[in-house]
Every structure is written in structure tokens, then in C-alpha cells.
């Protein structure tokens, strides 16, 4: 495992930004491993991701804020520092469909997702066995129209108790309240089973089938207050034919959902995603 | 070039359909080269495409109607016969964007599209040089709000005079009237520069850019009275990144449009497409 | 679950084949659900897959052989009948890499693979926990240069005892002997982690990395005596960039391997694959 | 059209490289538009592409060499500077297959390829009409076993007379001599009609057909003395089925070849490609 730091920066574009950051890092003897930047010329923004080796880095990270503060202030930067050695803590929300859950748990077991998973939350007991197979704590919290505020309060308390950093909705079939979402801005990742903005809302496979499209898709995005409208992280599609009935679409789609969701989760963990406006930059 | 016949059939599904058609063909000594069928169980329909060698076929084609009529009547078939040796006659409509036109003309020249192209119609003179390079007659017919009915009347007269069988809108930027469309039901192919039903209507690339999608698409479809809503023939997508600005989307999209449109045209010529309801079956 | 029969046929091409089969089925009141045929004109072969509803079929299947025999004899058909209600019995062979095993077990659990899995055989104990989670019997049989004939004899005895119909090598890292392979002709499916014929043999990812290819692939194929040379069932690729080191290739490749192997297994179970010469036809 | 400069750099990896380059540019008041870097940790190399606006850049480009020289020397950089306003001069070599030529000429006409095309060289007269349609000078130079050295001498003289910067072999069916290649190191781009290293050499489509692969590919690469072995720039594949005969492969492959070749040409023009060892980095 690498012992590196990742700095994400967004600020108004102007001259000298790359040099300012590179010099700050060099001053503290950083060995830059990756540096990638992007200008959104329409928005007038500069966005950067830089990763450096902490081996030999001469600035204590507890003092990073203080040391980098003046640079950030001068250029009006919004920034975020993360350490590759610190595993963020993920809670997975799931209902009855278990393919995304099984996929995430396997990838975590295989070392593809460098995070902790202290908690699975479900409004159904069906996936308990999977949680057990992978030895992850499982909480069954029933949700109905009537008890939703209570249920969310219980969920939030658990997330808090487990120091959860971000949430993945792995085909969780309940709409979260704006209040809940507000606790985890740009930290709740959803998978929607269509190529957004096509077929947002309910029953996307059935509507795709009825419209006679030739490809079906899946979209992972951050959750905002507007349903299926948050910043898109990743999308992919697969070809279907007239031979595929609705059940085939569901099955082919499941494979898409797994891949599109797991990429988003991995990129979030690796601090590759910068959200600005309602869009994302995913640094590769 | 093959000397074959293609029969497309759609009818209510019931037992004995494959045998009825196979026996009819065998009776006249047909050598079946391809036979493909599909059941739409939801709609209760049987759809078939069968292609046979005319070498040795003992039924004169002028008598096909009479001979096959009783079989068709018994099963309630809607059917269509075409000959691979007869090149259908295609008129291409185009405005200023010339990438689809250039692509179609090249493919026609290269022998990929087995049709005649007696006519290119444009509301702008810009693509005249391409028509000349490929030696295809070019007609410039200006279209404005005021003269639309007149312009369409002139277009229809030309199509008639040239015995045109089907029309391709190769990025033709005028909306056709229901009356015009009614002359060529399921015989006008359009290319829309988005993954329908996402971004139907105007400026799909700009709206895709603003929404922050990670893939852009193109859709070829038959034209119906409702804009961008006809039966979809083919779709494809390509990946974009945050590095792509609007101009890049337009350029990447152009490559998609060419491929997605030319596939639809080829399949139409090869009589591979069966329209039913608002969907297509494309026999491969 | 459908109650259908599938007939696969291959024979020299001549007139009347489709009618002969359709009439035979109609005579026994079969309702054909799918029929697909292919001519390999170079090889002069006719290949067909036909599936019909057993509901109302008036020929007892124990008498199918006797009844269809004369038709088959007349046309020189090699044929195979299978029932969708009969789950074939699959043994999975695996070594240490567990991604394909985990994927197959999950898909089996999810109902995507309509087969029984009476046995997992491994030359390492590492994947025992997965077998347990999915409640599949697991046999650890060590294999070394010295004990290979003995080990294979034990494996064959187990396969026999469990009435295994076909075998999947889910990244099983031992080369099987010709004698072993001879027991399951066209019934052992392997996944090779390259786009064959590129990089056959050992360490394909490393060689792909060194060659600087821009896509990596995976290939599922039936096992023959010549290493990585059997009839190809399915292939797919994924894009890599200069940012991907060898470890990234292995991880991206694992996702490919899972999908490419599981498609082959599914098609084998659904009797969609016809092997002829060193090629396959996969009826869709 | 942008007025920018692009610097490509490769050197042994060490600390301070990003800062050194960023500071050099800042010192001369450059506004960096794109900066992308890569470390090949196995090779111990640092590779970078940086593009900046020449508007406001205070260093005369005739003095760039002198000014940047000391930085380059200190770090042992191999570097290359190019200006987006200078169109490199491309000669296209072609034989009888004209699809890649037609595609490149159209893209050039459409403004996708920012280069001059002063010359088309062919060993056959067949594509003369295309050159005329796009108003590009065409030279027919016959090549046979006997006259090859003479023919190449004439070709080289023409390239020289037209100040050609790089050459594209658009399905040019003659093998170039090592001497010829030596005149344009990493400046001759070839398209090979297979997914290299599979099916290098002659008749790749036929061999793909015989092997029964499920995807066919195309590869663009720089030409070196070893046939089909130079640094790969781009590859792509497309799916085929048992329904595709050899002619279909050739036609589907042609579409691949066009796209894969034109991408390589565009990236070469945009100075996105760094060759090191037998590999390329393509900066996006």
C-alpha cells in the first residue's frame, strides 16, 4: 500500500497556479507521483489533483492546514487533503436486490476497494446471509410511509456511531429525505438503472423495453434533493436486441449496475472526484 | 451480387407458421439461405425474415402474390417481398453539416450500400461539391417558414419523378410536415444526435454537456409525426471526459452519427427491419 | 421456468432442411418458440437451433430418438436434444484466484445459471470459505508434477460419482492431460486472460503490458489438447492507458474474465453453442 | 484556432521536475492551459506534456531553446516544442483500398486534422479521383520488386521537396525499407488490420475468420524496421458473429481502420504522443 497524500483543489483560474502548488510541495520536499489539472474555460475554473509520496515529506500533516492556508487564501482555493493510508468508512444501504451488494463485498474482500465497511443497512432482512459470509455488521431497519422520520433518525445515529464517511445506495429502494441527504453532501452515491437523463424515476427497464431502445444503461451519481438529478460520476451501456425480454434487460442491466457503481465507489475512495456545479471531474 | 428474395412476415403467433412458410418455399424448390424468426410474447406476434436463392426457384415472381396469398390469408400475415437484385432508390436530404452525407456517398461508392441515389436535396448550396465529386444530382430547394408548403410540394414532385423508394435525413435541419411524412410511412430515416429518449429536440450536445453525462449517443429512427419519437433502428454511444468541451462533443458525436445512420440505411436496403407498434425488429 | 426442448442440428447443407425439421415438429404438434439457422457456405454446412414448447407436444421424449432418427439419417444430421427443465451438472475447478468462482457462485444463487453445482475442485484450500458461503461441496486435491496422474484419477472418479455433465476451469492453473480432456470433449470451458490468439500461454497480462497494447482481453473457449487453442466461445476487451500498471491490468482483466466466462457458461447451459471444426456458432 | 505552445518532456524521474517546469514557464508569464504528467515507475521515467497560451508569453520562441536549455540539461530532459499555429505537413501513402484515404481527406476538409496535406503518393492510379475531389496533389509511383530502391528514392525526393513532416500509410501495401524508415523515425504511422500482436503479417482478416475469433481489431502504430512491431498508438475492436463471412469482416474492419488511424493522426498532430522504448504515452 502506498503512503501518499492527495490534494484536490478548485479555484478561479489564473496564472501561476501550477507553480504555486508545485513550489509549496517542493519546499517541503514532496516527491510528486501524479499531477493532473483541468481548466473549465466556460466556468473560469481551475481544478487539480496532485498526489505525492509521504516518504521524505517534511511537513507534518497536522500542520498542513496552517502551512497551505496562505497559498489557498491567495488564490481563493476550495481544497481537500486525504491520505491513502487512511481507509474511509463506508455504509452500504440495500433493499432486496443483492447483486450490487454482493459485488461490493467481493471487491472489498479482494482488496479492490481500500475502505472499511462497518455497516450494512437494509429495510429488508434478505441480504443478511451475504453480510455474514463477508463478516460485515448488518442492521435491519424497516421503513414505511409512517415511520420514515424515525427510521432515518435511527439510521443517522448508527452512521454517526460508526463514524461513517460516505454512503452507497446499492439499489436501496427508498427515497431519502432532504434532511438526511444534507448530512452527507456529495457523500451519498446512488446507482440508477438507466442512462440518465433518459428514464429517470421509476421502472426504467420497463420503460426502456417499451420505447424499443437498442442499448440500456446505468448511471452512478451523487445524491441531491432532486431525484436522479445529482452530479453524474459514471455511466455505461450494453447492447440489447429484440430477443431480450424485460427479464433479460433486468439481468443484463444488473451487470452494468455492478460495474458502474463499483467504479464510482473506487474513485470516491481514491479521491479522484471533484464536484463543481452539478458536474464532476473524475481525474484518472 | 446474390440473386435472392427476402420475405418479411408479421402475424398473430400460432402453431405451424414456420412449417407453412418452409413448405410453401420448398414446394417451389427454394433453397433457403437464411431464416430467422422472433416471437413477441407480450404482443402475441410472430415475426420472420426468410431469404432464399432464386437460382432454381420455380415460381415466377410476378405470380408470387397470387401463390402466397392463400397462405398469408390463412394466418393473417402482413408481408413484404423484395429482391436483392433490385436496388431501391434513395434520396438524401441534407443541410449544412456534411459528415453524414460524405459518409453515405463514400459507402455507396465503395459498394457497401446496394441502392441507387438519384437525388440529393438540400436547403443550402454548401454540399454541392460533394454531390459533384460522387456524380449524384443535387437540388437546392430553399425552405423558410413562409414557403414550406411550396418547398415540400416541389420536393415531393422531385421524389416522385425520380421514383424514390426511401429518404434519409442526413442532418437535415428542417422539420417535415405530417403530410410529407404520410407519403413515406416507415420510409424516412432520420439521425438524431443524442441517445434517445434523452435530449430529444434541439441542441442535444449542448444539453448533454450541461448535464455532465459521461457518454454521448446517436439514434437512427423512422420519422413519424411526433418529433424524435419514431421507431428506433439503431443507437450507439461514445465516452467523453471533462476534457471534452462542446466542440469536442460535436466532433466525437459526428463519428457516431455516421456509423449509426449508415447501419440503419444498410439494414433498410437489406430488408432486415420490421416495424411493429413503435418498435423495430432488426434481423441479423 | 420454461418447459421446452432444444434441438441442435448440424449436417451438410441441402434444400428442404428447414421444412423437414419444421414438419417433423408440426406433426407432433410442437409450438416452435425460437428457430435460428446458419449456413457456413465455405464448409457447406447447415446448422440449426430450434426450441419448442413441450406443452401440447405429442411425442414422448423417450421416443424422440426413434421418431427423429429417420429424418436425421436421411439428411446426415449430427444432432443433440436437451430439455430446459433438466439442470446440467457443473463442476468448477479453481486454484487461488477466486474472482471467477465468486462470480459464478453468485450468478448461480441469483438464478442466472440454470444448473446444479454438485462440486468445486481445487488444488488449494483458499476458496473453501466461498464454497461454504454458497453451500457447495468443496474438494481439495493437491496437484504436483509427481502426483498428477493420481490427482486426475481422483478428480475423474469424483466427477463420475457426482454425475457431472460439464466442467468450468475458473482460473484453474494446472494443465489437464489429454486423457482427462478426452473424457469431456467440448464439455470443459476455460477462461484465458488475453484476447486469443494474442498472448496465449503464460503471463498474458505481463506480456500485454510490455508490448504496450491499448486494450486487454479475455477469451472463453472449450479445452482441447493444444493449449489455449480450442474453439472460442466468447471474447471481450477493455481499454487501458499508460496510467495502468501491471496490477491495474490484472484488476481490470478480472472484471473481463468474470463476464466472458459467465456468458460462455450460460450459453452452454442454454444449449446455444454448436462446435464444428475448431469454431463455434453461438445462437442468440 | 488556439495560439498555444506544447512542450513534451521525458527524463529520469526525480523531485522538483514539475516545479522546475512550472517555474520556468511562470517566469516568462505563461498561462498554462493543460499540464499532464506520468511516471513510469518500472522504467524510472518522468513524462510530461504541458500546453500554454502564447498570448502574453514573454519569451520569444526563437530564444526558447537557449532559455530552456539549462533546465533541460540539469534534469537530463529529452524535449520537443511545437506550436499549435504551425500546421505539420503530412504525406499520405495509399494503394488500392481507399477507405482510410477518403476518411482522412474528409476529416482534413472538415477541420478535424489541423495539418497541411501537400502530397498523396500511391503505387496505383485508382485513388486519383479522390485526390482531385479534395484538391490534393497526387503522385503515382509504381513499385515492384525490381524498382523498389529507385521508387523509394523518388518518394524521398518528393517528401523532401514538399517539406513533409510525417507520413501516414493509409493501407499502403508495400513494405518500406529500413533506409526509408530511418528518414522518418517515429514519424511514419501505419494502420494494421488486426488487434496486434494477434495476426501480424499478411491476411489478418482471413486468419481471424479461420481462427473463429469473436471480435476483430485494428491497430495504428509507428513504423519500425520490424514488421507490425512498432510502438502502438491506438487500437480498437468490433464484434463479429458466425453470420459474418470474410467479406463482412473486411467491411466491418474498414470502419475500425478509419477510426483507429484517424485518432492516431490527430494525436500526432496535436503532439499528444510520447514514444519511449517500444511504447507510447498518449496524453489526453
Amino acid at each position: 500500500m502506498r503512503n501518499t497524500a492527495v490534494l484536490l483543489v478548485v479555484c478561479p483560474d489564473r496564472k501561476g497556479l501550477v507553480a504555486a502548488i508545485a513550489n509549496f510541495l517542493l519546499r517541503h520536499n514532496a516527491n510528486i507521483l501524479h499531477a493532473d489539472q483541468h481548466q473549465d474555460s466556460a466556468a473560469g475554473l481551475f481544478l487539480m489533483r496532485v498526489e505525492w509520496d509521504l516518504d521524505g515529506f517534511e511537513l507534518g500533516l497536522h500542520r498542513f492546514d496552517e502551512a497551505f492556508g496562505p497559498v489557498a487564501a491567495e488564490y481563493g482555493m476550495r481544497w481537500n487533503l486525504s491520505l491513502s493510508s487512511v481507509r474511509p468508512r463506508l455504509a452500504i444501504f440495500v433493499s432486496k436486490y443483492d447483486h450490487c451488494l454482493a459485488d461490493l463485498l467481493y471487491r472489498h474482500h479482494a482488496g479492490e476497494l481500500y475502505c472499511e465497511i462497518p455497516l450494512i443497512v437494509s429495510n429488508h432482512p434478505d441480504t443478511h446471509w451475504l453480510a455474514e459470509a463477508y463478516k460485515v455488521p448488518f442492521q435491519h431497519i424497516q421503513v414505511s410511509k409512517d415511520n420514515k422520520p424515525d427510521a432515518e433518525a435511527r439510521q443517522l445515529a448508527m452512521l454517526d456511531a460508526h463514524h461513517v464517511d460516505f454512503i452507497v445506495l446499492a439499489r436501496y429502494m427508498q427515497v431519502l429525505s432532504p434532511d438526511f441527504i444534507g448530512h452527507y453532501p456529495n457523500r451519498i452515491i446512488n446507482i440508477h438503472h438507466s442512462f440518465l437523463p433518459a428514464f429517470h424515476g421509476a421502472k426504467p427497464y420497463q420503460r426502456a423495453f417499451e420505447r424499443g431502445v437498442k442499448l440500456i444503461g446505468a448511471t452512478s451519481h451523487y445524491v441531491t434533493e432532486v431525484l436522479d438529478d445529482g452530479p453524474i460520476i459514471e455511466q455505461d451501456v450494453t447492447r440489447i436486441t429484440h430477443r431480450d425480454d424485460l427479464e433479460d434487460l433486468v439481468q443484463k442491466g444488473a451487470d452494468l449496475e455492478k460495474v458502474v457503481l463499483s467504479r464510482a465507489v473506487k474513485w470516491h475512495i481514491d479521491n479522484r472526484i471533484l464536484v463543481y456545479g452539478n458536474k464532476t471531474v473524475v481525474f484518472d
Side-chain angles (χ1 to χ4, degrees), chain A residues 1-23:
Chain A
M1 191 56 211
R2 279 173 162 177
N3 182 29
T4 65
V6 171
L7 182 67
L8 286 173
V9 169
V10 55
C11 63
D13 194 19
R14 60 183 256 208
K15 276 181 198 175
L17 279 160
V18 176
I21 293 170
N23 285 326

PDB file of all heavy atoms in Angstrom, chain A residues 1-23:
ATOM      1  N   MET A   1       0.849  -1.207   0.000  1.00  0.00           N
ATOM      2  CA  MET A   1       0.000   0.000   0.000  1.00  0.00           C
ATOM      3  C   MET A   1       0.878   1.248   0.000  1.00  0.00           C
ATOM      4  O   MET A   1       1.810   1.384   0.761  1.00  0.00           O
ATOM      5  CB  MET A   1      -0.891  -0.013   1.261  1.00  0.00           C
ATOM      6  CG  MET A   1      -1.999   1.037   1.249  1.00  0.00           C
ATOM      7  SD  MET A   1      -3.075   0.906  -0.212  1.00  0.00           S
ATOM      8  CE  MET A   1      -3.557   2.613  -0.436  1.00  0.00           C
ATOM      9  N   ARG A   2       0.519   2.169  -0.871  1.00  0.00           N
ATOM     10  CA  ARG A   2       1.235   3.427  -0.946  1.00  0.00           C
ATOM     11  C   ARG A   2       0.992   4.281   0.281  1.00  0.00           C
ATOM     12  O   ARG A   2      -0.090   4.312   0.837  1.00  0.00           O
ATOM     13  CB  ARG A   2       0.717   4.222  -2.132  1.00  0.00           C
ATOM     14  CG  ARG A   2       1.330   3.789  -3.441  1.00  0.00           C
ATOM     15  CD  ARG A   2       0.598   4.527  -4.521  1.00  0.00           C
ATOM     16  NE  ARG A   2       1.373   4.505  -5.748  1.00  0.00           N
ATOM     17  CZ  ARG A   2       0.953   5.019  -6.887  1.00  0.00           C
ATOM     18  NH1 ARG A   2      -0.224   5.594  -6.935  1.00  0.00           N
ATOM     19  NH2 ARG A   2       1.697   4.966  -7.955  1.00  0.00           N
ATOM     20  N   ASN A   3       2.002   5.036   0.638  1.00  0.00           N
ATOM     21  CA  ASN A   3       1.854   6.022   1.700  1.00  0.00           C
ATOM     22  C   ASN A   3       1.916   7.406   1.070  1.00  0.00           C
ATOM     23  O   ASN A   3       2.962   8.044   1.022  1.00  0.00           O
ATOM     24  CB  ASN A   3       2.976   5.815   2.732  1.00  0.00           C
ATOM     25  CG  ASN A   3       2.835   6.782   3.883  1.00  0.00           C
ATOM     26  OD1 ASN A   3       1.722   7.212   4.214  1.00  0.00           O
ATOM     27  ND2 ASN A   3       3.952   7.155   4.481  1.00  0.00           N
ATOM     28  N   THR A   4       0.781   7.840   0.567  1.00  0.00           N
ATOM     29  CA  THR A   4       0.758   9.089  -0.198  1.00  0.00           C
ATOM     30  C   THR A   4      -0.322  10.034   0.330  1.00  0.00           C
ATOM     31  O   THR A   4      -1.198   9.627   1.096  1.00  0.00           O
ATOM     32  CB  THR A   4       0.446   8.827  -1.687  1.00  0.00           C
ATOM     33  OG1 THR A   4      -0.889   8.303  -1.792  1.00  0.00           O
ATOM     34  CG2 THR A   4       1.418   7.828  -2.291  1.00  0.00           C
ATOM     35  N   ALA A   5      -0.226  11.282  -0.098  1.00  0.00           N
ATOM     36  CA  ALA A   5      -1.276  12.264   0.172  1.00  0.00           C
ATOM     37  C   ALA A   5      -1.861  12.738  -1.147  1.00  0.00           C
ATOM     38  O   ALA A   5      -1.151  12.804  -2.156  1.00  0.00           O
ATOM     39  CB  ALA A   5      -0.709  13.442   0.951  1.00  0.00           C
ATOM     40  N   VAL A   6      -3.152  13.032  -1.127  1.00  0.00           N
ATOM     41  CA  VAL A   6      -3.831  13.546  -2.320  1.00  0.00           C
ATOM     42  C   VAL A   6      -4.450  14.895  -1.986  1.00  0.00           C
ATOM     43  O   VAL A   6      -5.177  15.018  -1.004  1.00  0.00           O
ATOM     44  CB  VAL A   6      -4.931  12.580  -2.802  1.00  0.00           C
ATOM     45  CG1 VAL A   6      -5.776  13.228  -3.899  1.00  0.00           C
ATOM     46  CG2 VAL A   6      -4.334  11.272  -3.296  1.00  0.00           C
ATOM     47  N   LEU A   7      -4.144  15.883  -2.804  1.00  0.00           N
ATOM     48  CA  LEU A   7      -4.743  17.205  -2.641  1.00  0.00           C
ATOM     49  C   LEU A   7      -5.645  17.497  -3.831  1.00  0.00           C
ATOM     50  O   LEU A   7      -5.209  17.405  -4.981  1.00  0.00           O
ATOM     51  CB  LEU A   7      -3.628  18.263  -2.560  1.00  0.00           C
ATOM     52  CG  LEU A   7      -4.071  19.716  -2.342  1.00  0.00           C
ATOM     53  CD1 LEU A   7      -4.695  19.910  -0.963  1.00  0.00           C
ATOM     54  CD2 LEU A   7      -2.872  20.659  -2.524  1.00  0.00           C
ATOM     55  N   LEU A   8      -6.905  17.795  -3.531  1.00  0.00           N
ATOM     56  CA  LEU A   8      -7.844  18.232  -4.575  1.00  0.00           C
ATOM     57  C   LEU A   8      -8.069  19.728  -4.415  1.00  0.00           C
ATOM     58  O   LEU A   8      -8.311  20.205  -3.304  1.00  0.00           O
ATOM     59  CB  LEU A   8      -9.188  17.505  -4.440  1.00  0.00           C
ATOM     60  CG  LEU A   8      -9.232  16.046  -4.865  1.00  0.00           C
ATOM     61  CD1 LEU A   8     -10.584  15.439  -4.516  1.00  0.00           C
ATOM     62  CD2 LEU A   8      -8.974  15.902  -6.363  1.00  0.00           C
ATOM     63  N   VAL A   9      -7.993  20.459  -5.518  1.00  0.00           N
ATOM     64  CA  VAL A   9      -8.102  21.913  -5.457  1.00  0.00           C
ATOM     65  C   VAL A   9      -9.037  22.408  -6.548  1.00  0.00           C
ATOM     66  O   VAL A   9      -8.968  21.938  -7.684  1.00  0.00           O
ATOM     67  CB  VAL A   9      -6.716  22.573  -5.661  1.00  0.00           C
ATOM     68  CG1 VAL A   9      -6.849  24.076  -5.872  1.00  0.00           C
ATOM     69  CG2 VAL A   9      -5.808  22.264  -4.492  1.00  0.00           C
ATOM     70  N   VAL A  10      -9.916  23.352  -6.195  1.00  0.00           N
ATOM     71  CA  VAL A  10     -10.682  24.062  -7.220  1.00  0.00           C
ATOM     72  C   VAL A  10     -10.688  25.547  -6.872  1.00  0.00           C
ATOM     73  O   VAL A  10     -10.850  25.921  -5.702  1.00  0.00           O
ATOM     74  CB  VAL A  10     -12.123  23.501  -7.377  1.00  0.00           C
ATOM     75  CG1 VAL A  10     -12.868  23.500  -6.072  1.00  0.00           C
ATOM     76  CG2 VAL A  10     -12.896  24.264  -8.436  1.00  0.00           C
ATOM     77  N   CYS A  11     -10.469  26.386  -7.878  1.00  0.00           N
ATOM     78  CA  CYS A  11     -10.435  27.833  -7.636  1.00  0.00           C
ATOM     79  C   CYS A  11     -10.574  28.569  -8.963  1.00  0.00           C
ATOM     80  O   CYS A  11     -10.488  27.959 -10.020  1.00  0.00           O
ATOM     81  CB  CYS A  11      -9.129  28.239  -6.938  1.00  0.00           C
ATOM     82  SG  CYS A  11      -7.658  27.920  -7.913  1.00  0.00           S
ATOM     83  N   PRO A  12     -10.804  29.885  -8.911  1.00  0.00           N
ATOM     84  CA  PRO A  12     -10.842  30.645 -10.163  1.00  0.00           C
ATOM     85  C   PRO A  12      -9.509  30.493 -10.887  1.00  0.00           C
ATOM     86  O   PRO A  12      -8.447  30.485 -10.266  1.00  0.00           O
ATOM     87  CB  PRO A  12     -11.053  32.093  -9.692  1.00  0.00           C
ATOM     88  CG  PRO A  12     -11.661  31.970  -8.331  1.00  0.00           C
ATOM     89  CD  PRO A  12     -11.071  30.731  -7.737  1.00  0.00           C
ATOM     90  N   ASP A  13      -9.583  30.371 -12.214  1.00  0.00           N
ATOM     91  CA  ASP A  13      -8.367  30.175 -12.994  1.00  0.00           C
ATOM     92  C   ASP A  13      -7.552  31.464 -13.083  1.00  0.00           C
ATOM     93  O   ASP A  13      -8.099  32.530 -13.290  1.00  0.00           O
ATOM     94  CB  ASP A  13      -8.757  29.709 -14.409  1.00  0.00           C
ATOM     95  CG  ASP A  13      -7.562  29.165 -15.166  1.00  0.00           C
ATOM     96  OD1 ASP A  13      -6.552  28.813 -14.507  1.00  0.00           O
ATOM     97  OD2 ASP A  13      -7.635  29.079 -16.394  1.00  0.00           O
ATOM     98  N   ARG A  14      -6.253  31.352 -12.879  1.00  0.00           N
ATOM     99  CA  ARG A  14      -5.346  32.469 -13.176  1.00  0.00           C
ATOM    100  C   ARG A  14      -3.937  31.933 -13.313  1.00  0.00           C
ATOM    101  O   ARG A  14      -3.658  30.772 -13.040  1.00  0.00           O
ATOM    102  CB  ARG A  14      -5.431  33.551 -12.090  1.00  0.00           C
ATOM    103  CG  ARG A  14      -5.071  33.061 -10.707  1.00  0.00           C
ATOM    104  CD  ARG A  14      -5.238  34.168  -9.679  1.00  0.00           C
ATOM    105  NE  ARG A  14      -3.944  34.685  -9.293  1.00  0.00           N
ATOM    106  CZ  ARG A  14      -3.711  35.218  -8.093  1.00  0.00           C
ATOM    107  NH1 ARG A  14      -4.681  35.337  -7.205  1.00  0.00           N
ATOM    108  NH2 ARG A  14      -2.500  35.656  -7.773  1.00  0.00           N
ATOM    109  N   LYS A  15      -3.054  32.791 -13.728  1.00  0.00           N
ATOM    110  CA  LYS A  15      -1.670  32.366 -13.941  1.00  0.00           C
ATOM    111  C   LYS A  15      -0.986  31.984 -12.640  1.00  0.00           C
ATOM    112  O   LYS A  15      -1.279  32.548 -11.596  1.00  0.00           O
ATOM    113  CB  LYS A  15      -0.876  33.500 -14.588  1.00  0.00           C
ATOM    114  CG  LYS A  15      -1.020  33.533 -16.084  1.00  0.00           C
ATOM    115  CD  LYS A  15      -0.215  34.656 -16.706  1.00  0.00           C
ATOM    116  CE  LYS A  15      -0.753  34.894 -18.124  1.00  0.00           C
ATOM    117  NZ  LYS A  15      -0.105  36.040 -18.775  1.00  0.00           N
ATOM    118  N   GLY A  16      -0.049  31.037 -12.735  1.00  0.00           N
ATOM    119  CA  GLY A  16       0.814  30.748 -11.599  1.00  0.00           C
ATOM    120  C   GLY A  16       0.289  29.698 -10.659  1.00  0.00           C
ATOM    121  O   GLY A  16       0.954  29.361  -9.676  1.00  0.00           O
ATOM    122  N   LEU A  17      -0.879  29.132 -10.939  1.00  0.00           N
ATOM    123  CA  LEU A  17      -1.473  28.179 -10.001  1.00  0.00           C
ATOM    124  C   LEU A  17      -0.654  26.894  -9.904  1.00  0.00           C
ATOM    125  O   LEU A  17      -0.396  26.399  -8.799  1.00  0.00           O
ATOM    126  CB  LEU A  17      -2.908  27.862 -10.433  1.00  0.00           C
ATOM    127  CG  LEU A  17      -3.938  28.907 -10.010  1.00  0.00           C
ATOM    128  CD1 LEU A  17      -5.198  28.797 -10.854  1.00  0.00           C
ATOM    129  CD2 LEU A  17      -4.276  28.721  -8.531  1.00  0.00           C
ATOM    130  N   VAL A  18      -0.262  26.346 -11.051  1.00  0.00           N
ATOM    131  CA  VAL A  18       0.518  25.112 -11.028  1.00  0.00           C
ATOM    132  C   VAL A  18       1.829  25.338 -10.296  1.00  0.00           C
ATOM    133  O   VAL A  18       2.232  24.545  -9.426  1.00  0.00           O
ATOM    134  CB  VAL A  18       0.776  24.594 -12.465  1.00  0.00           C
ATOM    135  CG1 VAL A  18       1.668  23.367 -12.433  1.00  0.00           C
ATOM    136  CG2 VAL A  18      -0.536  24.276 -13.174  1.00  0.00           C
ATOM    137  N   ALA A  19       2.489  26.440 -10.611  1.00  0.00           N
ATOM    138  CA  ALA A  19       3.768  26.736  -9.971  1.00  0.00           C
ATOM    139  C   ALA A  19       3.591  26.940  -8.470  1.00  0.00           C
ATOM    140  O   ALA A  19       4.406  26.468  -7.664  1.00  0.00           O
ATOM    141  CB  ALA A  19       4.394  27.980 -10.612  1.00  0.00           C
ATOM    142  N   ALA A  20       2.524  27.629  -8.068  1.00  0.00           N
ATOM    143  CA  ALA A  20       2.308  27.886  -6.643  1.00  0.00           C
ATOM    144  C   ALA A  20       2.176  26.587  -5.870  1.00  0.00           C
ATOM    145  O   ALA A  20       2.782  26.415  -4.802  1.00  0.00           O
ATOM    146  CB  ALA A  20       1.050  28.746  -6.452  1.00  0.00           C
ATOM    147  N   ILE A  21       1.415  25.648  -6.414  1.00  0.00           N
ATOM    148  CA  ILE A  21       1.217  24.370  -5.721  1.00  0.00           C
ATOM    149  C   ILE A  21       2.491  23.523  -5.778  1.00  0.00           C
ATOM    150  O   ILE A  21       2.910  22.947  -4.783  1.00  0.00           O
ATOM    151  CB  ILE A  21       0.004  23.630  -6.326  1.00  0.00           C
ATOM    152  CG1 ILE A  21      -1.279  24.413  -6.002  1.00  0.00           C
ATOM    153  CG2 ILE A  21      -0.090  22.204  -5.778  1.00  0.00           C
ATOM    154  CD1 ILE A  21      -2.512  23.921  -6.732  1.00  0.00           C
ATOM    155  N   ALA A  22       3.119  23.481  -6.966  1.00  0.00           N
ATOM    156  CA  ALA A  22       4.337  22.683  -7.105  1.00  0.00           C
ATOM    157  C   ALA A  22       5.429  23.211  -6.180  1.00  0.00           C
ATOM    158  O   ALA A  22       6.157  22.441  -5.540  1.00  0.00           O
ATOM    159  CB  ALA A  22       4.805  22.686  -8.563  1.00  0.00           C
ATOM    160  N   ASN A  23       5.540  24.522  -6.090  1.00  0.00           N
ATOM    161  CA  ASN A  23       6.584  25.091  -5.230  1.00  0.00           C
ATOM    162  C   ASN A  23       6.311  24.831  -3.758  1.00  0.00           C
ATOM    163  O   ASN A  23       7.220  24.532  -2.984  1.00  0.00           O
ATOM    164  CB  ASN A  23       6.699  26.596  -5.476  1.00  0.00           C
ATOM    165  CG  ASN A  23       7.411  26.881  -6.787  1.00  0.00           C
ATOM    166  OD1 ASN A  23       8.306  26.132  -7.182  1.00  0.00           O
ATOM    167  ND2 ASN A  23       6.999  27.941  -7.465  1.00  0.00           N
TER     168      ASN A  23
END
